[in-house]
Amino acid sequence: MDLVANRTVGRTVAVVDYGMGNLRSVSQAVLHVAQGSGVEVVWARTPEEVMAAERVVLPGQGGMRDCMRELHDSGMLAAVLHAAANKPLMGVCVGMQMLLDHSDELDTPCLGLIHGKVRRFDLEGRHQPDGSRYKVPQMGWNQVFQSRPGGAVHPVWGDVPDGSYFYFVHSYYAQPSDARHIAGEADYGGRFCAAVARDNIFATQFHPEKSADHGLALYRNFLHWNP
């Protein structure tokens, strides 16, 4: 199965290429879980490809201001907003943070799709249980505990065990205004939001594509999620 570029097909998931993010690793992970499912993976380089897709993955990596600027300058902004209002959308890392109202990183306005702010870890001088200092960014594996704001685990978690480990690289974290939008939490000097969800949107602070089988399971579940 080959990655489809610059064309659209029947059932598609578009990985948005707006010039930022770990696009290749995300695309390859989604491509891997899509094998045999009848879903084509589109490396979406035009707004039309995002608009035509059945579902959309929004990756992100690097500085928030750079990501927001590139999303706008690439012409993808309107297509991503349309997707967020009309079809399943999964954000990854900075692609999750972009969904909120505002980031403390260089005082950057974001997409405003989930109310709340993006904060920087404030861990100066604090020590972990093993005596080592907390480092920012957080880099490495951490447990994620699935939230149940409506009494049930979100469908994208599927059969991923609660408390599974996922791979993080981040200095900032999302802080939704409404706790019902928190789909998962982790602990790094205190509990923080590791996944958000609202209606047809699901997003993770960690990198599923770097998180072995449990991460691949999330992408697979997303391909079959019907909100």
Side-chain angles (χ1 to χ4, degrees), residues 74-212:
S74 67
M76 292 289 199
L77 176 59
V80 168
L81 291 175
H82 180 270
N86 294 283
K87 61 189 72 174
L89 182 144
M90 182 172 180
V92 179
C93 195
V94 178
M96 168 181 145
Q97 296 177 4
M98 292 167 72
L99 302 176
L100 277 77
D101 293 317
H102 186 273
S103 175
D104 285 348
E105 186 176 5
L106 298 179
D107 193 25
T108 306
C110 302
L111 296 175
L113 297 170
I114 294 178
H115 291 311
K117 295 186 177 182
V118 179
R119 304 288 194 186
R120 193 178 194 278
F121 281 120
D122 183 11
L123 300 171
E124 183 68 29
R126 295 183 56 189
H127 292 79
Q128 303 190 62
D130 65 2
S132 63
R133 288 182 179 270
Y134 281 103
K135 296 180 179 179
V136 178
Q138 177 191 193
M139 296 181 64
W141 296 85
N142 201 348
Q143 279 185 290
V144 176
F145 300 96
Q146 300 161 14
S147 301
R148 302 169 180 258
V153 171
H154 194 280
V156 175
W157 288 119
D159 58 359
V160 174
D162 193 19
S164 294
Y165 282 84
F166 293 89
Y167 191 82
F168 291 82
V169 182
H170 65 126
S171 300
Y172 293 79
Y173 63 94
Q175 191 176 70
S177 300
D178 190 335
R180 291 175 298 177
H181 295 151
I182 300 174
E185 293 181 298
D187 192 295
Y188 196 66
R191 282 288 178 116
F192 70 90
C193 176
V196 298
R198 180 184 65 77
D199 302 328
N200 56 299
I201 297 171
F202 183 88
T204 67
Q205 178 61 66
F206 54 84
H207 291 271
E209 69 283 355
K210 297 180 180 179
S211 300

